[in-house]
Amino acid sequence: MNTREGYAQFGEYRTWYKVAGDLGSGKAPLIVLHGGPGCTHDYVQAFGDIARTGRPVVLYDQIGNGRSTHLPDKGADFWTVDFFLSELRNLIDDLGVSDGYHALGQSWGGMLGAEFAVTRPEGLKSLVIANSPASMDLWVSEANRLRAALPSEVEETLQRHEKAGTTDSDDYNAAVAAFYARHVCRVVPMPAEVQRTFDAIADDPTVYHTMNGPSEFHVIGSLRNWSIIDRLDRIDVPVLLISGRHDEATPATVQPYADTIPDVRWTIFENSSHMPHVEEKDACLSAVASFLNEVEAGSAQKRKSN
C-alpha cells in the first residue's frame, strides 16, 4: 500500500497529513479527524488500513499537535471549534477532494465532524462519529458516574488533587491511569501508537489543557459548555455511530446522536472501551469499510433510478 506525506498551508501555519492509498483511485477518500482536542494522528492510524480495500484514507495532525505547527503561546480565544473547522475545509481543498469524501471523527474528532456536518458541506458523503459525546454536560455527568465505581482510594485521590489544583502530580496521574485502563484503552500493554499520542500531549499540552483540561474527566477548559444536540437534525448525510461497551463515551452521551440525526445507525463493540479501532481492530475497520461501501452503493442506485 503506497503512502505519501505532505503539508497543507493554512495562513501562517501548516497542517501535516498522510495519504494511504491513491486519491485518484475512483473511490471517495476517508478523512480521519483525531481526538483530544490535542491528540495526534498516531492513535487512530489503524483506520489507515481501510486503504487496503481500495479506498484512500487521509490522516492528519490538527494544528497545535504532532507534526503540524505548534503554537504554545496561543490561548482560549485562538483554539476554537471554528478554527479547526476552517483548518479541515482548507485541508479538503488542498487535497483536491472537495467534490466527494467521507469523514470519520474519533472522540473530539467526532464532535468536530458533527460540527462540520451540520453546516452541510458540499462533497460530504457520510460521517462516522466514533466514541463521541453529544454534549460536555452529558460527558461530565457520565464521567462522574464511572469515577464513582473506581476503588474509593482512587476517586479520593482524584478529588483531592482536583480541589487543590495539583493535577500535575504523580499521584493524580496514577489515579487517572486507573480510569483510563477501564474506560479509554483496555489493551495491556498500551499499544505503541496510543502511547505516542499520550507522550505527544505530555510534550505539548497546550491544546488539550486549554480546550479540555488536565484529564478526560476533569473538564475545565473552553469546551466545558459545548453541545450540538439542538443542531443534529441538520445533518443530511448517512451517519454511523461507534462506541464501546466500556467506553467513557457511554450510551447516554451518544444517545442524542441516535435520537436526532435523520439517517443513523449505531454499532457498540462489546469488548472495547474508547478505542474499538485498537481494542477490536478487525471488527471495527470492517464495520466502517462496509458502511462506506453501502453509502456509495446506495448513492449509485439512487442516481441510476433518477
Side-chain angles (χ1 to χ4, degrees):
M1 178 176 60
N2 63 307
T3 63
R4 69 177 178 89
E5 300 179 13
Y7 289 92
Q9 196 69 35
F10 180 47
E12 305 171 59
Y13 318 122
R14 296 200 307 172
T15 301
W16 175 89
Y17 65 82
K18 178 168 71 173
V19 179
D22 180 7
L23 288 177
S25 68
K27 282 194 172 185
L30 174 65
I31 301 174
V32 180
L33 290 58
H34 67 68
C39 290
T40 65
H41 79 284
D42 298 88
Y43 83 100
V44 289
Q45 68 181 24
F47 288 115
D49 286 356
I50 289 175
R52 300 184 189 282
T53 70
R55 181 181 307 285
V57 178
V58 179
L59 299 160
Y60 75 103
D61 286 335
Q62 295 159 22
I63 287 173
N65 312 290
R67 304 181 191 181
S68 295
T69 304
H70 284 242
L71 299 163
D73 295 329
K74 298 293 187 181
D77 59 336
F78 181 87
W79 302 112
T80 65
V81 170
D82 285 344
F83 175 80
F84 288 110
L85 287 175
S86 296
E87 180 193 23
L88 175 58
R89 295 185 187 104
N90 181 75
L91 176 63
I92 291 167
D93 289 342
D94 188 88
L95 292 171
V97 299
S98 58
D99 58 337
Y101 54 91
H102 304 270
L104 180 154
Q106 200 279 334
S107 197
W108 145 254
M111 297 156 61
L112 183 63
E115 288 276 6
F116 184 61
V118 300
T119 69
R120 298 182 174 178
E122 186 176 353
L124 180 65
K125 292 179 174 291
S126 76
L127 174 65
V128 181
I129 299 175
N131 320 98
S132 307
S135 83
M136 294 310 287
D137 279 347
L138 285 172
W139 176 269
V140 172
S141 174
E142 286 296 282
N144 287 335
R145 183 178 66 80
L146 295 175
R147 281 175 53 157
L150 293 170
S152 59
E153 64 273 15
V154 174
E155 174 62 1
E156 187 278 329
T157 298
L158 293 172
Q159 291 186 12
R160 174 161 43 85
H161 286 287
E162 288 167 0
K163 184 177 181 179
T166 53
T167 54
D168 57 351
S169 72
D170 290 343
D171 283 349
Y172 184 78
N173 289 331
V176 166
F179 180 94
Y180 286 12
R182 286 190 180 191
H183 302 297
V184 177
C185 183
R186 294 164 68 89
V187 177
V188 179
M190 184 175 288
E193 67 272 22
V194 179
Q195 188 61 57
R196 284 198 301 274
T197 287
F198 280 120
D199 290 345
I201 295 173
D203 287 342
D204 184 356
T206 304
V207 181
Y208 187 74
H209 284 182
T210 301
M211 296 185 73
N212 184 80
S215 68
E216 290 290 273
F217 44 76
H218 190 42
V219 181
I220 56 175
S222 58
L223 278 179
R224 61 188 177 278
N225 297 317
W226 177 87
S227 175
I228 199 169
I229 293 174
D230 63 350
R231 293 174 285 146
L232 290 173
D233 60 346
R234 302 178 194 174
I235 296 179
D236 63 354
V237 296
V239 173
L240 170 65
L241 303 174
I242 287 174
S243 61
R245 181 60 65 190
H246 309 282
D247 205 331
E248 59 180 341
T250 67
T253 73
V254 179
Q255 193 65 50
Y257 291 119
D259 290 342
T260 312
I261 295 173
D263 184 355
V264 66
R265 67 280 293 143
W266 187 358
T267 298
I268 299 177
F269 291 90
E270 296 296 330
N271 297 311
S272 294
S273 57
H274 199 51
M275 300 185 187
H277 59 280
V278 172
E279 297 163 293
E280 295 180 72
K281 178 181 174 181
D282 290 346
C284 181
L285 299 193
S286 177
V288 172
S290 295
F291 167 70
L292 301 178
N293 289 337
E294 289 167 10
V295 167
E296 293 194 353
S299 297
Q301 183 60 40
K302 186 176 181 179
R303 288 195 299 271
K304 185 176 180 180
S305 62
N306 289 338

